Amino acid sequence: MITTEYPHGEDFPILKIDTPLCTAAISLYGGHILEWAPKGARPVLFLSPNVAFKKGKALRGGIPLCWPWFGKNTEDASLPSHGVARTALWQLAQTEELEDGTLRLLLALPPVAELMPSAALAIEMGRTLTLSLMTLDVPRSMPFSAAMHTYFAVSDYEKVAVTGLEECAFTEFAEDPTPHAEDPLIPAGHIDRIYCPVDEHAEITIHDPAWSRSIRITRSGSGSAVVWNPGAELAAGMGDLGAGNERGFLAVETTAVPAENLMLRCGETHELVTRIELVDIS
């Protein structure tokens, strides 16, 4: 079942989803997955209790889409950081329920400015969640980068371990980096890493023994990954997050970062895919 609700006003339509396999919520503002959980499971995504629904502002939590650039625009620094997708209104173009109960949705984002490509987000949800962010109708040669900035719900981000990135080089962008246990990575405090290169077939896993589960992330169209948490001090100063709420998530992002030097030529397409699966370790 899919219903459309407006708990935050007419500018923020929310699709509420309840199927035999999962529950979910999707904001058409931003093409943003807010919630997803297989039936009987804890939430897999973290949504800040202080998330602010304001036009022009990205939503804190879930899966924000950074598109068609990640970070600052390399051609025009006056453009918004992380692109236009996460503050634009997407359209629900198609829905389909498969025989096994899996739900497929297609969201569309027409060009929001001159010489801008269009985008589509294919969503397949059930016991797993797969997102395919497609860049279409590229009108000119352009540098390209993108990300699915996924906030994963965890019992305590300083008590989980991340595997699958041990052999990958990274750059730490935190101004006050905290020493973290490595191999496997166990975050502690502020972390803001871009791992690059990362084989697109690498399997990244968040191990959360306190919740007796692991979260397995597989990707394609991605040659990098980001691991991020603001830590206690920064979180306390973030109005849409707040003190203590940083402990409930770890962001592990499927990315195509600027360091990959991707160029899309006129008429080319790109597809960035992430697949999320819960693994019971009880």
Side-chain angles (χ1 to χ4, degrees), residues 61-166:
I63 309 180
L65 301 177
C66 304
W67 178 93
W69 60 85
F70 176 84
K72 294 182 179 179
N73 185 284
T74 57
E75 297 181 313
D76 185 348
S78 69
L79 291 172
S81 181
H82 293 317
V84 298
R86 63 187 189 152
T87 56
L89 188 63
W90 292 62
Q91 302 168 357
L92 177 61
Q94 183 178 335
T95 64
E96 178 186 11
E97 186 172 349
L98 305 184
E99 289 185 2
D100 67 356
T102 298
L103 184 64
R104 286 179 175 170
L105 302 94
L106 182 67
L107 306 186
L109 180 66
V112 298
E114 188 177 0
L115 298 180
M116 189 77 73
S118 60
L121 180 68
I123 305 164
E124 190 170 292
M125 58 174 58
R127 301 298 298 179
T128 62
L129 174 65
T130 301
L131 304 181
S132 301
L133 178 60
M134 295 169 280
T135 302
L136 310 166
D137 307 316
V138 176
R140 62 182 178 87
S141 294
M142 55 177 284
F144 175 78
S145 52
M148 298 175 183
H149 184 129
T150 309
Y151 291 68
F152 287 104
V154 296
S155 59
D156 185 331
Y157 85 107
E158 292 191 338
K159 296 180 180 178
V160 300
V162 179
T163 58
L165 296 170
E166 292 84 357

Side-chain angles (χ1 to χ4, degrees), residues 9-64:
E10 293 297 315
D11 293 325
F12 303 98
I14 306 293
L15 304 179
K16 299 291 286 187
I17 295 164
D18 190 345
T19 78
L21 299 180
C22 70
T23 56
I26 302 172
S27 169
L28 293 181
Y29 174 81
H32 194 130
I33 312 295
L34 301 175
E35 304 168 10
W36 170 71
K39 282 289 178 72
R42 297 175 184 269
V44 180
L45 304 178
F46 169 90
L47 185 66
S48 171
N50 298 316
V51 61
F53 285 82
K54 296 180 180 179
K55 291 187 73 173
K57 182 177 176 63
L59 305 178
R60 180 71 65 187
I63 309 180

Side-chain angles (χ1 to χ4, degrees), residues 240-259:
D240 59 355
L241 185 56
N245 289 316
E246 81 286 350
R247 302 198 74 88
F249 77 89
L250 182 67
V252 178
E253 308 173 33
T254 294
T255 56
V257 297

